[in-house]
């Protein structure tokens, strides 16, 4: 653990907390002694769409094509003859195998998860903390910045 810290402000969103740190940096405050701490964390999983076997195969084909392109490029570098054909064959074979593996992997789930999603963590509040020995200096600088803050808290 590092030195004791003090909360110099709590903000409802990340850009507000970021603006405080930026303001401190602009005023030559040693910002390496600060941190933004997100509290009241919530996991949010946003559903992006339905996952079908065909869509899984298409996504697998895209991934396989990239891998096949990479392998084709590696082999193409050392090919004396038609290196472009080697690259194209690698891309096509990679796409086919990727599609097969994508479709089989989705079919094996047995319909347990027929959707795609993206997960993110969101904080309900963002606290700006600073080393206790620099708290007064930070508060003095922030007195000039027009942002609402909550009461400080020693940790």
């Amino acid at each position: 653990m590092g030195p004791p810290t003090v909360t110099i402000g709590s903000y409802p969103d990340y850009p507000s907390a970021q603006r405080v740190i930026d303001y401190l940096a602009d005023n030559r405050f040693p910002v390496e002694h600060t941190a933004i701490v997100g509290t009241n964390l919530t996991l949010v999983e946003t559903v992006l769409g339905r996952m079908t076997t065909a869509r899984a195969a298409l996504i697998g084909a895209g991934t396989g094509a990239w891998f096949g392109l990479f392998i084709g490029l590696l082999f193409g570098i050392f090919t004396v003859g038609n290196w472009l054909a080697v690259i194209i064959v690698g891309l096509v074979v990679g796409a086919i195998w990727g599609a097969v593996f994508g479709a089989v992997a989705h079919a094996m789930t047995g319909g347990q998860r027929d959707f795609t999603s993206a997960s993110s963590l969101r904080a309900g509040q963002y606290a700006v903390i600073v080393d206790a020995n620099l708290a007064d200096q930070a508060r003095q600088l922030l007195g000039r910045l027009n942002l609402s803050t909550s009461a400080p808290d020693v940790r």
Side-chain angles (χ1 to χ4, degrees), residues 81-106:
N82 190 357
W83 58 270
L84 185 60
V86 173
I87 293 171
I88 291 172
V89 167
L91 184 114
V92 170
V93 170
I96 291 169
W97 276 107
V100 169
F101 282 121
V104 169
H106 180 263

Side-chain angles (χ1 to χ4, degrees), residues 1-2 4 12 20 25 32 38 41-44 49 51 60 64 72 79 102 112 122 125 131:
M1 265 180 73
V20 167
E32 61 273 10
L41 296 178
T42 304
L43 175 66
V44 178
M51 179 61 78
T79 300
Q112 291 293 330
R122 295 189 186 155
Q125 178 174 333
D131 289 355

Side-chain angles (χ1 to χ4, degrees), residues 29-90:
F29 183 82
V31 291
E32 61 273 10
H33 297 281
T34 63
I36 298 173
V37 179
T39 57
N40 301 328
L41 296 178
T42 304
L43 175 66
V44 178
E45 185 171 6
T46 305
V47 177
L48 302 173
R50 188 172 175 345
M51 179 61 78
T52 62
T53 303
R55 186 167 181 197
L58 185 63
I59 292 169
T63 303
W66 278 111
F67 184 70
L69 178 64
F70 174 70
I71 297 299
L73 285 169
L74 283 178
F75 281 125
I77 291 171
F78 301 108
T79 300
V80 177
N82 190 357
W83 58 270
L84 185 60
V86 173
I87 293 171
I88 291 172
V89 167

Side-chain angles (χ1 to χ4, degrees), residues 8 11 19-31 34 130 134-147:
I8 58 169
Y11 305 92
R19 190 169 43 230
V20 167
I21 301 293
D22 188 49
Y23 180 81
L24 291 172
D26 290 346
N27 286 281
R28 303 199 189 292
F29 183 82
V31 291
T34 63
V130 65
L134 296 169
D136 289 335
Q137 181 185 355
R139 281 192 197 106
Q140 206 171 41
L141 285 170
L142 287 181
R144 298 181 221 149
L145 183 64
N146 193 13
L147 278 177

